[in-house]
Amino acid sequence: MLSRPESLTESERLRLKTVLVNCPELDALAGHVRPFPQMLTERQGELLPQGLDAARRDDLPSLHSLAAGIDRDRDAVIASLTLPWSSGVVEGQPNRIKMLKRQMFVRARFALPRTRVLLAS
């Protein structure tokens, strides 16, 4: 269900169709989930409010919870789906420093890990 529809084999398509026919809740969920990859890859954040409103109209409590969570920070979520900037580089720095610290743990005084962190930048 989370794969691209065009990448499914014929037998996988038939199995998915059978599952969706037998489970209306899953079929409704699939209808709400499918637009998100396009929204993410093509930076179409302006479509998010319509998707959230559609999710609220269905009787799927888990989607209502998701929509409520997104609404708490709606502007930031729409900006992240729309704008070309990313904080990925910044987010990776603490993990890199923790990895260097773990590698040097008990091997050296503070001076060596400090030098490695500074030189690795």
Side-chain angles (χ1 to χ4, degrees), residues 18-36:
T18 302
V19 169
L20 295 179
V21 165
N22 291 318
C23 183
E25 293 87 8
L26 194 56
D27 189 31
L29 179 64
H32 292 295
V33 169
R34 284 201 179 109
F36 278 94

Side-chain angles (χ1 to χ4, degrees), residues 6-48:
E6 63 271 6
S7 69
L8 297 175
T9 65
E10 191 59 37
S11 64
E12 290 172 333
R13 283 187 191 134
L14 289 173
R15 267 190 279 155
L16 178 60
K17 186 175 181 179
T18 302
V19 169
L20 295 179
V21 165
N22 291 318
C23 183
E25 293 87 8
L26 194 56
D27 189 31
L29 179 64
H32 292 295
V33 169
R34 284 201 179 109
F36 278 94
Q38 181 180 0
M39 205 181 304
L40 288 169
T41 57
E42 297 179 11
R43 302 213 173 269
Q44 298 176 338
E46 65 277 356
L47 300 177
L48 183 66

